[in-house]
């Protein structure tokens, strides 16, 4: 039976991010982690903008997450919001996703 690219992109997985003694679930699409995304992230590292690269990468990978604002609302998953989240937390999220994918 052939594999459809659309099916790969619909696949979702959930993992847990540990950060400063707290934990949160994140749901992401492993099929969205492509060589092109990896190249864009590498370019961000080479231009000394790794945090922005992680924010852009996560915007394309994340489906949902248990990250809330002060009013208890889930922080939207979009570059314009992710660039306002702590870089160290974003790196923890991408680290958890990478570990889960392996």
């Amino acid at each position: 039976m052939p594999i459809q690219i659309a099916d790969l992109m619909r696949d979702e997985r959930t993992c847990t991010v540990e950060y400063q003694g707290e934990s949160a679930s994140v749901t992401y699409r492993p099929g969205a982690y492509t060589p092109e995304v990896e190249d864009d992230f590498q370019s961000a590292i080479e231009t000394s903008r790794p945090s922005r690269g992680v924010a852009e990468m996560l915007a394309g990978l994340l489906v949902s997450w248990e990250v809330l604002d002060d009013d208890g609302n889930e922080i939207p998953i979009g570059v314009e919001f992710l660039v306002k989240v702590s870089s160290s937390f974003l790196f923890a999220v991408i680290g958890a996703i990478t570990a889960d994918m392996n």
Side-chain angles (χ1 to χ4, degrees), residues 32-88:
Y33 191 96
T34 64
E36 181 178 36
V37 168
E38 197 172 61
D39 286 347
D40 290 345
F41 179 61
Q42 184 62 39
S43 293
I45 290 172
E46 290 169 2
T47 61
S48 300
R49 297 187 58 151
S51 297
R52 178 117 186 136
V54 168
E56 291 171 355
M57 180 185 289
L58 288 174
L61 296 176
L62 291 175
V63 174
S64 65
W65 62 352
E66 295 180 326
V67 180
L68 310 176
D69 65 17
D70 292 338
D71 296 323
N73 301 309
E74 184 177 301
I75 293 176
I77 300 168
V79 175
E80 65 273 16
F81 298 102
L82 294 175
V83 294
K84 297 176 183 173
V85 175
S86 161
S87 293
S88 60

Side-chain angles (χ1 to χ4, degrees), residues 17-20 51 54 85-95:
V17 176
E18 303 289 336
Y19 184 74
Q20 295 184 351
S51 297
V54 168
V85 175
S86 161
S87 293
S88 60
F89 179 71
L90 295 179
F91 278 102
V93 172
I94 200 65

